[in-house]
Amino acid sequence: MPVEFLGIGATNDGTETRPRSGPAFDKQFTLALARAHEDSGWDRVLTAYGSGSPDPAQAAAYIADHTERLQLLLAHRPNVSYPTFAAKTVATLDQISDGRLTLHVITGGNDHEQQREGDTLPKDRRYDRTREAIQILKKAWTSREPFDFHGEHYDFTDFVLDVEPAQKPRPRISFGGSSAAAYKVGAEEADIYALWGEPLAGTAEQIATITDLAAAAGRPAPTFQVAFRPILGRTEEAAWEKAHATVARIRERTTGGRQLTRRHKLTDPENAGSQRLLAVAEQGERHDRALWTVTAAATGGAGNSTALVGTPETVAAALLDYYDLGVRILSARGYDLLADAEEFGREVIPLVRAEVARRDAEAAKQPA
C-alpha cells in the first residue's frame, strides 16, 4: 500500500533551536520551504495554527498558488470560526489548489492558549464541539440542498454552500489526540488519525483502540499518521553527536522557561498527548530502533517532539517499523527546516518508498 510523507509549511525559519531571522510571515522563506518539499519528494505540508501566528488558511492559499503538486494540510480550530464559515474557507481553498487540500481539525489541549482567542469552554466539552463542527463540515461540503443544524454548540437554519470543493465527495478530515475522548471522536468522524511519535508498542496500542472504536461505530478505521523529528548523520556516531548538540540548543533556549511557555508548559502539560510523551521519556531515552525521547523531555512534550536518530538507512528502517503497524502517513520535521527537508527528501524518502514498492510487488506475486 502507498506511503505518504507530510512536512511542515512553516512561514518562517524559527524552531526550538533557533530564533526566526525575519518576520512571522516571511514570504520568501515560506515559498522556498514549500518548493523544497515539492522538489524533494514530499506529498504534503502542514500549515500550522497558533493563536497569534499567521493565518494558516491564507498561508495555504499562498503555497497552493505557487506550487503545482504539493498537497496541503490546513490546521483549523473550531473555536475560531463558525463551521459554516470554515466550510466556505476550505471549499474555496480546495478550488484554488485544484483539490490538494486536507483539513486538520484541532480541539485544543491548553486552556490558556484557547483563552487567548476568547475560548473559555472546558476541555471535556471541547471534544463535543469538535464532533459537531466536523459533522457540519461534512454536510456542508456534500449537500446541495439547504439544511438545518440544531446542536449544543451550533445552531443554524437553511444553510447551503454555493462554492463546492474540488474533491468529491469532499476533502479529507484529519484529527489528533491521545485522550479517551479524542480517540472516540476521531474514530467515529475522522478520515486520518494523527499520532505523535511514541515507541512501537504504545503506537500499536493506540491504533488498536481507535480501530476498535471505529468498528463499533460501523465504519473503517481512519488512515494513521505518526510524527517525528528526524536527526540524520552520515554515520551513527555523527547522528548522535548532532542529536546531543540539538538538545543543548533546545535547553539553552528553554532555560528559565523563556521558550515555549507562552503556548505550552514545560512541566505537567494539560493535554494527554504531551503527558504520554513525557511518561515515555521517563521510561528511558532510547526506544526501539532509533526513537529518542530527550528532545520531547526538553520541550515538555510539546507537539511533534520525539526524534528518530541515525543514518538515513537507520531512520528509514525505523519508519518502516511504523509502516508495519499500519501507519500510512509519516510526518517529519527537522530543526533546520529548509536544509533538513531537503536532506530527508533526498536521503530517507526514496529508501522508504523503494522498500514499500518492493513489498507491494512481492505481495502481488502471492496467490490470492
Side-chain angles (χ1 to χ4, degrees):
M1 296 181 66
V3 61
E4 300 179 10
F5 288 90
L6 168 68
I8 186 70
T11 60
N12 60 72
D13 62 355
T15 70
E16 296 92 332
T17 63
R18 55 193 290 181
R20 69 181 189 229
S21 61
F25 184 58
D26 183 331
K27 291 175 62 177
Q28 290 184 335
F29 181 82
T30 300
L31 185 53
L33 183 61
R35 286 177 171 166
H37 281 87
E38 183 170 61
D39 294 342
S40 55
W42 298 76
D43 295 284
R44 63 174 54 81
V45 293
L46 165 70
T47 54
Y49 194 96
S51 60
S53 301
D55 179 11
Q58 295 189 59
Y62 179 69
I63 292 170
D65 196 43
H66 290 80
T67 57
E68 296 179 359
R69 303 176 306 279
L70 190 66
Q71 298 175 55
L72 300 154
L73 180 62
L74 169 64
H76 167 70
R77 287 185 190 164
N79 66 302
V80 298
S81 68
Y82 211 75
T84 51
F85 181 82
K88 288 189 290 187
T89 298
V90 173
T92 304
L93 276 172
D94 201 44
Q95 289 287 348
I96 290 172
S97 67
D98 294 321
R100 289 185 278 153
L101 194 69
T102 298
L103 187 69
H104 181 60
V105 178
I106 302 171
T107 300
N110 182 284
D111 288 343
H112 181 66
E113 169 69 4
Q114 298 296 118
Q115 290 164 8
R116 287 179 180 275
E117 294 184 287
D119 182 14
T120 59
L121 198 67
K123 182 182 177 183
D124 59 353
R125 296 184 60 204
R126 291 201 288 265
Y127 283 106
D128 294 331
R129 179 179 61 191
T130 297
R131 181 191 297 279
E132 288 189 11
I134 293 175
Q135 291 172 347
I136 293 166
L137 290 168
K138 290 178 179 178
K139 183 74 171 179
W141 291 333
T142 57
S143 176
R144 304 278 63 87
E145 299 294 331
F147 68 96
D148 303 342
F149 189 91
H150 305 294
E152 179 184 357
H153 301 280
Y154 303 108
D155 193 305
F156 58 85
T157 58
D158 202 38
F159 177 78
V160 64
L161 272 179
D162 190 29
V163 55
E164 298 181 25
Q167 298 176 76
K168 302 301 177 190
R170 59 173 176 79
R172 290 189 295 173
I173 291 177
S174 170
F175 177 87
S178 297
S179 66
Y183 293 152
K184 185 170 177 59
V185 172
E188 295 177 358
E189 300 292 346
D191 305 300
I192 298 169
Y193 204 106
L195 299 168
W196 288 338
E198 295 189 15
L200 293 166
T203 302
E205 176 187 343
Q206 289 182 298
I207 288 173
T209 296
I210 296 163
T211 299
D212 289 346
L213 287 168
R219 67 191 303 260
T223 300
F224 290 100
Q225 170 187 308
V226 179
F228 303 98
R229 307 301 292 271
I231 301 176
L232 304 177
R234 290 191 176 277
T235 65
E236 294 294 323
E237 293 76 12
W240 284 103
E241 181 179 346
K242 182 178 177 182
H244 289 291
T246 297
V247 167
R249 290 194 298 272
I250 293 174
R251 287 173 173 160
E252 181 180 354
R253 295 205 70 208
T254 57
T255 300
R258 292 194 302 268
Q259 175 76 357
L260 299 172
T261 52
R262 289 185 301 170
R263 65 182 184 273
H264 188 91
K265 295 180 181 179
L266 291 175
T267 58
D268 66 342
E270 297 173 25
N271 62 305
S274 294
Q275 292 167 7
R276 286 179 65 100
L277 293 187
L278 292 182
V280 169
E282 289 180 358
Q283 295 167 14
E285 294 184 359
R286 296 176 67 166
H287 299 261
D288 303 321
R289 192 187 300 265
L291 189 71
W292 197 47
T293 63
V294 179
T295 46
T299 60
N304 175 12
S305 56
T306 47
L308 290 178
V309 182
T311 64
E313 292 78 11
T314 296
V315 171
L319 291 170
L320 286 162
D321 290 338
Y322 288 89
Y323 180 87
D324 289 339
L325 295 181
V327 175
R328 292 298 177 263
I329 302 175
L330 299 169
S331 175
R333 170 165 52 100
Y335 292 96
D336 184 343
L337 296 177
L338 184 57
D340 288 351
E342 292 172 336
E343 181 183 35
F344 188 89
R346 181 180 66 248
E347 303 291 342
V348 178
I349 290 178
L351 296 177
V352 177
R353 290 200 195 280
E355 176 59 18
V356 169
R358 186 194 69 76
R359 295 180 185 185
D360 287 348
E362 287 295 322
K365 295 177 183 178
Q366 302 300 317

Tab-separated table of all heavy atoms in Angstrom, residues 107 123-128 131 175-189 193 195 198 205-206 209-214 270-273 275-276:
chain	number	residue	atom	x	y	z
A	107	THR	N	-8.792	20.223	18.403
A	107	THR	CA	-9.713	20.505	19.505
A	107	THR	C	-9.121	21.518	20.476
A	107	THR	O	-9.820	22.392	20.989
A	107	THR	CB	-10.067	19.203	20.242
A	107	THR	OG1	-10.680	18.309	19.306
A	107	THR	CG2	-11.011	19.470	21.391
A	123	LYS	N	-12.159	21.793	28.610
A	123	LYS	CA	-11.607	20.811	27.685
A	123	LYS	C	-12.540	19.635	27.454
A	123	LYS	O	-12.676	19.152	26.320
A	123	LYS	CB	-10.253	20.310	28.205
A	123	LYS	CG	-9.577	19.321	27.269
A	123	LYS	CD	-8.275	18.816	27.836
A	123	LYS	CE	-7.659	17.773	26.916
A	123	LYS	NZ	-6.418	17.210	27.466
A	124	ASP	N	-13.231	19.168	28.518
A	124	ASP	CA	-14.075	17.991	28.363
A	124	ASP	C	-15.278	18.249	27.471
A	124	ASP	O	-15.917	17.307	26.986
A	124	ASP	CB	-14.526	17.445	29.722
A	124	ASP	CG	-15.307	18.466	30.534
A	124	ASP	OD1	-15.390	19.636	30.104
A	124	ASP	OD2	-15.821	18.096	31.609
A	125	ARG	N	-15.584	19.539	27.228
A	125	ARG	CA	-16.690	19.868	26.325
A	125	ARG	C	-16.209	20.272	24.940
A	125	ARG	O	-17.010	20.351	24.004
A	125	ARG	CB	-17.545	20.986	26.931
A	125	ARG	CG	-18.249	20.579	28.235
A	125	ARG	CD	-19.139	21.697	28.726
A	125	ARG	NE	-20.177	22.034	27.752
A	125	ARG	CZ	-20.784	23.221	27.687
A	125	ARG	NH1	-20.447	24.179	28.537
A	125	ARG	NH2	-21.709	23.444	26.777
A	126	ARG	N	-14.916	20.544	24.811
A	126	ARG	CA	-14.395	20.942	23.501
A	126	ARG	C	-14.500	19.810	22.484
A	126	ARG	O	-14.688	20.062	21.292
A	126	ARG	CB	-12.949	21.430	23.619
A	126	ARG	CG	-12.815	22.753	24.356
A	126	ARG	CD	-11.522	23.466	24.035
A	126	ARG	NE	-10.337	22.865	24.619
A	126	ARG	CZ	-9.790	23.248	25.770
A	126	ARG	NH1	-10.349	24.222	26.479
A	126	ARG	NH2	-8.695	22.669	26.225
A	127	TYR	N	-14.383	18.553	22.946
A	127	TYR	CA	-14.496	17.442	22.002
A	127	TYR	C	-15.911	17.313	21.457
A	127	TYR	O	-16.109	16.953	20.291
A	127	TYR	CB	-14.040	16.136	22.656
A	127	TYR	CG	-12.532	16.044	22.729
A	127	TYR	CD1	-11.862	16.206	23.930
A	127	TYR	CD2	-11.778	15.813	21.575
A	127	TYR	CE1	-10.477	16.136	23.994
A	127	TYR	CE2	-10.391	15.745	21.627
A	127	TYR	CZ	-9.749	15.913	22.844
A	127	TYR	OH	-8.382	15.856	22.898
A	128	ASP	N	-16.915	17.597	22.297
A	128	ASP	CA	-18.292	17.577	21.797
A	128	ASP	C	-18.487	18.651	20.729
A	128	ASP	O	-19.156	18.423	19.715
A	128	ASP	CB	-19.273	17.802	22.948
A	128	ASP	CG	-19.268	16.660	23.948
A	128	ASP	OD1	-18.989	15.518	23.540
A	128	ASP	OD2	-19.534	16.917	25.140
A	131	ARG	N	-16.863	17.454	17.498
A	131	ARG	CA	-17.696	16.486	16.781
A	131	ARG	C	-18.769	17.203	15.963
A	131	ARG	O	-18.973	16.889	14.783
A	131	ARG	CB	-18.355	15.521	17.766
A	131	ARG	CG	-19.216	14.455	17.084
A	131	ARG	CD	-20.054	13.710	18.108
A	131	ARG	NE	-19.227	12.988	19.052
A	131	ARG	CZ	-18.683	11.802	18.815
A	131	ARG	NH1	-18.899	11.206	17.656
A	131	ARG	NH2	-17.957	11.198	19.734
A	175	PHE	N	-7.418	14.464	12.198
A	175	PHE	CA	-7.738	14.742	13.589
A	175	PHE	C	-6.674	14.077	14.460
A	175	PHE	O	-6.089	13.063	14.073
A	175	PHE	CB	-9.129	14.180	13.915
A	175	PHE	CG	-9.564	14.337	15.344
A	175	PHE	CD1	-10.200	15.489	15.760
A	175	PHE	CD2	-9.346	13.322	16.267
A	175	PHE	CE1	-10.614	15.636	17.082
A	175	PHE	CE2	-9.745	13.459	17.582
A	175	PHE	CZ	-10.386	14.620	17.988
A	176	GLY	N	-6.409	14.636	15.637
A	176	GLY	CA	-5.437	14.035	16.534
A	176	GLY	C	-5.836	14.195	17.983
A	176	GLY	O	-6.697	15.000	18.332
A	177	GLY	N	-5.183	13.426	18.832
A	177	GLY	CA	-5.437	13.483	20.265
A	177	GLY	C	-5.133	12.143	20.899
A	177	GLY	O	-5.187	11.101	20.230
A	178	SER	N	-4.816	12.164	22.197
A	178	SER	CA	-4.422	10.939	22.879
A	178	SER	C	-5.250	10.641	24.115
A	178	SER	O	-4.866	9.807	24.939
A	178	SER	CB	-2.933	11.022	23.263
A	178	SER	OG	-2.127	11.110	22.114
A	179	SER	N	-6.376	11.310	24.280
A	179	SER	CA	-7.274	11.029	25.395
A	179	SER	C	-8.388	10.097	24.925
A	179	SER	O	-8.604	9.916	23.717
A	179	SER	CB	-7.891	12.323	25.924
A	179	SER	OG	-8.737	12.908	24.950
A	180	ALA	N	-9.114	9.527	25.870
A	180	ALA	CA	-10.234	8.648	25.523
A	180	ALA	C	-11.282	9.387	24.703
A	180	ALA	O	-11.841	8.846	23.736
A	180	ALA	CB	-10.855	8.065	26.791
A	181	ALA	N	-11.524	10.654	25.060
A	181	ALA	CA	-12.498	11.452	24.316
A	181	ALA	C	-12.024	11.693	22.893
A	181	ALA	O	-12.811	11.647	21.938
A	181	ALA	CB	-12.739	12.776	25.031
A	182	ALA	N	-10.729	11.948	22.731
A	182	ALA	CA	-10.181	12.173	21.391
A	182	ALA	C	-10.282	10.914	20.549
A	182	ALA	O	-10.682	10.959	19.372
A	182	ALA	CB	-8.729	12.627	21.498
A	183	TYR	N	-9.914	9.776	21.124
A	183	TYR	CA	-9.980	8.521	20.375
A	183	TYR	C	-11.394	8.298	19.829
A	183	TYR	O	-11.561	7.896	18.673
A	183	TYR	CB	-9.598	7.345	21.268
A	183	TYR	CG	-8.165	7.308	21.727
A	183	TYR	CD1	-7.825	6.699	22.933
A	183	TYR	CD2	-7.136	7.859	20.972
A	183	TYR	CE1	-6.514	6.638	23.371
A	183	TYR	CE2	-5.824	7.813	21.397
A	183	TYR	CZ	-5.511	7.216	22.606
A	183	TYR	OH	-4.216	7.169	23.039
A	184	LYS	N	-12.388	8.552	20.657
A	184	LYS	CA	-13.767	8.273	20.249
A	184	LYS	C	-14.213	9.190	19.122
A	184	LYS	O	-14.767	8.734	18.119
A	184	LYS	CB	-14.702	8.411	21.456
A	184	LYS	CG	-16.150	8.028	21.158
A	184	LYS	CD	-16.972	7.942	22.416
A	184	LYS	CE	-18.441	7.643	22.121
A	184	LYS	NZ	-18.602	6.372	21.380
A	185	VAL	N	-13.948	10.497	19.263
A	185	VAL	CA	-14.353	11.441	18.212
A	185	VAL	C	-13.614	11.141	16.911
A	185	VAL	O	-14.208	11.079	15.828
A	185	VAL	CB	-14.100	12.896	18.651
A	185	VAL	CG1	-14.331	13.861	17.488
A	185	VAL	CG2	-15.013	13.266	19.814
A	186	GLY	N	-12.302	10.934	17.002
A	186	GLY	CA	-11.528	10.681	15.797
A	186	GLY	C	-11.908	9.382	15.117
A	186	GLY	O	-11.988	9.308	13.886
A	187	ALA	N	-12.135	8.336	15.908
A	187	ALA	CA	-12.509	7.049	15.337
A	187	ALA	C	-13.847	7.121	14.618
A	187	ALA	O	-14.058	6.459	13.596
A	187	ALA	CB	-12.565	5.989	16.431
A	188	GLU	N	-14.758	7.929	15.150
A	188	GLU	CA	-16.106	7.988	14.600
A	188	GLU	C	-16.272	9.021	13.493
A	188	GLU	O	-17.205	8.919	12.692
A	188	GLU	CB	-17.104	8.279	15.725
A	188	GLU	CG	-17.179	7.163	16.763
A	188	GLU	CD	-18.113	7.476	17.911
A	188	GLU	OE1	-18.686	8.591	17.926
A	188	GLU	OE2	-18.277	6.614	18.801
A	189	GLU	N	-15.343	9.996	13.407
A	189	GLU	CA	-15.566	11.094	12.465
A	189	GLU	C	-14.413	11.359	11.487
A	189	GLU	O	-14.642	11.898	10.405
A	189	GLU	CB	-15.842	12.393	13.237
A	189	GLU	CG	-17.062	12.359	14.148
A	189	GLU	CD	-18.380	12.280	13.386
A	189	GLU	OE1	-18.383	12.520	12.157
A	189	GLU	OE2	-19.408	11.960	14.023
A	193	TYR	N	-6.115	9.799	11.315
A	193	TYR	CA	-5.860	10.000	12.740
A	193	TYR	C	-4.372	10.225	12.934
A	193	TYR	O	-3.541	9.374	12.605
A	193	TYR	CB	-6.332	8.807	13.576
A	193	TYR	CG	-6.610	9.205	15.006
A	193	TYR	CD1	-7.909	9.311	15.465
A	193	TYR	CD2	-5.567	9.529	15.879
A	193	TYR	CE1	-8.179	9.713	16.775
A	193	TYR	CE2	-5.822	9.932	17.176
A	193	TYR	CZ	-7.130	10.027	17.616
A	193	TYR	OH	-7.400	10.444	18.902
A	195	LEU	N	-1.060	10.789	15.185
A	195	LEU	CA	-0.454	10.452	16.461
A	195	LEU	C	0.950	11.036	16.539
A	195	LEU	O	1.611	11.220	15.515
A	195	LEU	CB	-0.369	8.933	16.628
A	195	LEU	CG	-1.691	8.166	16.609
A	195	LEU	CD1	-1.425	6.672	16.495
A	195	LEU	CD2	-2.517	8.474	17.850
A	198	GLU	N	5.532	7.786	19.420
A	198	GLU	CA	5.763	7.004	20.632
A	198	GLU	C	6.476	5.708	20.257
A	198	GLU	O	6.579	5.357	19.083
A	198	GLU	CB	4.435	6.690	21.320
A	198	GLU	CG	3.693	7.899	21.847
A	198	GLU	CD	2.496	7.510	22.699
A	198	GLU	OE1	2.420	6.327	23.112
A	198	GLU	OE2	1.641	8.377	22.948
A	205	GLU	N	-0.830	0.036	20.380
A	205	GLU	CA	-1.960	0.070	21.313
A	205	GLU	C	-2.966	1.147	20.911
A	205	GLU	O	-4.187	0.910	20.919
A	205	GLU	CB	-1.438	0.340	22.723
A	205	GLU	CG	-2.511	0.492	23.780
A	205	GLU	CD	-1.946	0.937	25.118
A	205	GLU	OE1	-0.719	0.825	25.319
A	205	GLU	OE2	-2.731	1.406	25.958
A	206	GLN	N	-2.473	2.337	20.554
A	206	GLN	CA	-3.372	3.409	20.133
A	206	GLN	C	-4.113	3.036	18.849
A	206	GLN	O	-5.317	3.282	18.715
A	206	GLN	CB	-2.583	4.699	19.947
A	206	GLN	CG	-2.099	5.318	21.243
A	206	GLN	CD	-1.358	6.617	20.993
A	206	GLN	OE1	-0.322	6.655	20.340
A	206	GLN	NE2	-1.899	7.708	21.512
A	209	THR	N	-6.881	0.598	19.655
A	209	THR	CA	-8.001	1.248	20.345
A	209	THR	C	-8.875	2.002	19.362
A	209	THR	O	-10.115	1.879	19.374
A	209	THR	CB	-7.472	2.211	21.419
A	209	THR	OG1	-6.769	1.471	22.413
A	209	THR	CG2	-8.615	2.982	22.077
A	210	ILE	N	-8.254	2.795	18.508
A	210	ILE	CA	-9.009	3.612	17.546
A	210	ILE	C	-9.698	2.730	16.519
A	210	ILE	O	-10.853	2.979	16.128
A	210	ILE	CB	-8.062	4.633	16.886
A	210	ILE	CG1	-7.541	5.611	17.948
A	210	ILE	CG2	-8.768	5.389	15.759
A	210	ILE	CD1	-6.305	6.383	17.518
A	211	THR	N	-9.029	1.677	16.070
A	211	THR	CA	-9.624	0.761	15.102
A	211	THR	C	-10.857	0.082	15.681
A	211	THR	O	-11.889	-0.043	15.008
A	211	THR	CB	-8.583	-0.294	14.674
A	211	THR	OG1	-7.468	0.364	14.044
A	211	THR	CG2	-9.190	-1.297	13.706
A	212	ASP	N	-10.782	-0.334	16.943
A	212	ASP	CA	-11.931	-0.974	17.586
A	212	ASP	C	-13.095	0.006	17.736
A	212	ASP	O	-14.265	-0.366	17.538
A	212	ASP	CB	-11.532	-1.518	18.954
A	212	ASP	CG	-10.625	-2.741	18.862
A	212	ASP	OD1	-10.524	-3.326	17.773
A	212	ASP	OD2	-10.015	-3.097	19.894
A	213	LEU	N	-12.792	1.240	18.096
A	213	LEU	CA	-13.854	2.238	18.238
A	213	LEU	C	-14.514	2.537	16.893
A	213	LEU	O	-15.730	2.731	16.813
A	213	LEU	CB	-13.288	3.524	18.839
A	213	LEU	CG	-12.927	3.461	20.328
A	213	LEU	CD1	-12.117	4.695	20.732
A	213	LEU	CD2	-14.187	3.367	21.173
A	214	ALA	N	-13.714	2.571	15.838
A	214	ALA	CA	-14.282	2.799	14.508
A	214	ALA	C	-15.188	1.641	14.107
A	214	ALA	O	-16.287	1.854	13.569
A	214	ALA	CB	-13.156	2.987	13.489
A	270	GLU	N	-1.223	20.042	30.085
A	270	GLU	CA	-2.632	19.692	30.253
A	270	GLU	C	-3.081	18.572	29.313
A	270	GLU	O	-3.958	17.791	29.661
A	270	GLU	CB	-3.502	20.930	30.007
A	270	GLU	CG	-3.271	22.063	30.990
A	270	GLU	CD	-4.025	23.320	30.588
A	270	GLU	OE1	-5.047	23.194	29.880
A	270	GLU	OE2	-3.589	24.416	30.961
A	271	ASN	N	-2.535	18.529	28.117
A	271	ASN	CA	-3.058	17.600	27.119
A	271	ASN	C	-2.462	16.202	27.273
A	271	ASN	O	-1.299	16.023	27.636
A	271	ASN	CB	-2.819	18.121	25.704
A	271	ASN	CG	-1.346	18.269	25.394
A	271	ASN	OD1	-0.621	18.935	26.117
A	271	ASN	ND2	-0.898	17.646	24.323
A	272	ALA	N	-3.276	15.199	26.966
A	272	ALA	CA	-2.882	13.803	27.178
A	272	ALA	C	-1.714	13.401	26.294
A	272	ALA	O	-0.875	12.594	26.707
A	272	ALA	CB	-4.082	12.887	26.912
A	273	GLY	N	-1.630	13.941	25.073
A	273	GLY	CA	-0.545	13.578	24.178
A	273	GLY	C	0.812	13.937	24.746
A	273	GLY	O	1.752	13.123	24.719
A	275	GLN	N	1.476	14.485	27.899
A	275	GLN	CA	1.673	13.674	29.102
A	275	GLN	C	2.210	12.294	28.743
A	275	GLN	O	3.101	11.766	29.415
A	275	GLN	CB	0.346	13.547	29.859
A	275	GLN	CG	-0.145	14.849	30.469
A	275	GLN	CD	-1.586	14.770	30.932
A	275	GLN	OE1	-2.204	13.694	30.912
A	275	GLN	NE2	-2.147	15.890	31.353
A	276	ARG	N	1.703	11.708	27.660
A	276	ARG	CA	2.185	10.407	27.225
A	276	ARG	C	3.654	10.484	26.797
A	276	ARG	O	4.446	9.589	27.121
A	276	ARG	CB	1.323	9.877	26.073
A	276	ARG	CG	-0.051	9.379	26.488
A	276	ARG	CD	-0.837	8.909	25.273
A	276	ARG	NE	-0.228	7.741	24.654
A	276	ARG	CZ	-0.634	6.487	24.836
A	276	ARG	NH1	-1.663	6.237	25.653
A	276	ARG	NH2	-0.038	5.487	24.213
